[in-house]
Amino acid sequence: MDSVVSDAASPAVNSGARTGVTPRDPGREPFPGIAPEEDLKPWQADTTRAPIATKIVVAGGFGAGKTTLVGTVSEIEPLQTEALMTEASEAYDDLSATPEKITTTVAMDYGRITLDDDLVLYLFGTPGQQRFWFMWDDLVRGAIGAVVLADTRRLEDCFPALDYFESCGLPYVVAVNHFDGSEVFEPEDVREALTVPAHIPVMIMDARRRISVVETLLALCAHAITFSPE
């Protein structure tokens, strides 16, 4: 998986005289804008290889930590569609558990993380409010699985996401995002409260900690492979 095809063995280099195309200078940058001294991944340094691109959806209730999760692990500047909350949403958005929240996602969050030499995950965070659920069908198209974030202060908020992924057959894991001051529960207690099937991984995580999020993403990838081995 880590082997790199040399320029000498590359058909593009050896066929320069036949095609009239000037071969790429091995000393040049592999891609424009990437400095040679940067720590490149093998798939970035070798133009004959392409990364395995995988799409993952991050869903859950309003204010469960979806935007935080994507921003925590994204190796690029995450795309966020945050908008200021106004008085018009007071009748629809329950801020009792998150009184400090002043913005909300109105379209999606987007980020990228490289988990292995040539395995790249593209993360799509869904909006949590019911009035934006119509976007979910588009956001999950092509995804291999989903992370359902659960807030123990209001577990019922993640039921719509659980029902959605069960109905469409998309593999998912449940990630319990414990907030400061919230009561800590064991994964099996959360599983029982949400009536999550035994084969679905239930994890305790902190969306603010990179290693915690990465462990959750790895668990989802492993579950998706087991769920859909073909």
Side-chain angles (χ1 to χ4, degrees):
M1 193 172 183
D2 294 329
S3 62
V4 177
V5 180
S6 66
D7 286 331
S10 173
V13 173
N14 294 330
S15 62
R18 297 194 304 271
T19 63
V21 177
T22 303
R24 174 178 289 276
D25 182 353
R28 292 179 58 189
E29 299 177 8
F31 294 102
I34 301 180
E37 65 272 12
E38 288 189 21
D39 183 18
L40 301 179
K41 306 291 189 233
W43 60 268
Q44 292 175 309
D46 181 2
T47 57
T48 67
R49 297 173 60 180
I52 300 173
T54 302
K55 180 180 181 180
I56 286 178
V57 173
V58 181
F62 170 71
K66 301 179 292 296
T67 299
T68 300
L69 184 152
V70 174
T72 295
V73 296
S74 181
E75 61 196 17
I76 62 173
E77 186 68 27
L79 169 65
Q80 298 177 344
T81 56
E82 293 281 288
L84 287 174
M85 302 183 66
T86 65
E87 293 181 358
S89 69
E90 289 181 353
Y92 306 97
D93 300 328
D94 182 9
L95 293 175
S96 58
T98 55
E100 71 286 352
K101 186 174 178 61
I102 60 173
T103 63
T104 185
T105 300
V106 296
M108 68 174 185
D109 300 307
Y110 170 78
R112 185 191 73 196
I113 175 175
T114 304
L115 284 185
D116 202 349
D117 287 340
D118 52 7
L119 175 60
V120 181
L121 301 185
Y122 294 92
L123 308 178
F124 290 77
T126 67
Q129 296 97 320
Q130 183 176 356
R131 57 187 178 277
F132 297 125
W133 287 354
F134 70 91
M135 301 180 60
W136 285 25
D137 287 342
D138 291 327
L139 290 177
V140 303
R141 187 174 294 116
I144 66 160
V147 174
V148 177
L149 283 182
D151 181 351
T152 56
R153 299 170 298 180
R154 42 205 175 113
L155 281 176
E156 66 279 2
D157 286 359
C158 67
F159 279 129
L162 295 175
D163 292 341
Y164 180 85
F165 296 126
E166 284 284 355
S167 65
C168 67
L170 189 69
Y172 68 91
V173 300
V174 176
V176 182
N177 187 23
H178 274 305
F179 288 79
D180 294 336
S182 64
E183 187 175 355
V184 178
F185 294 92
E186 293 298 322
E188 290 309 310
D189 294 332
V190 176
R191 180 189 302 279
E192 181 178 356
L194 296 176
T195 63
V196 174
H199 69 281
I200 302 294
V202 177
M203 309 180 65
I204 305 297
M205 63 155 291
D206 186 337
R208 300 167 299 181
R209 297 181 59 243
R210 181 179 177 84
I211 185 62
S212 182
V213 176
V214 169
E215 289 173 350
T216 300
L217 296 176
L218 288 172
L220 173 60
C221 291
H223 176 60
I225 291 174
T226 303
F227 190 89
S228 305
E230 67 277 2

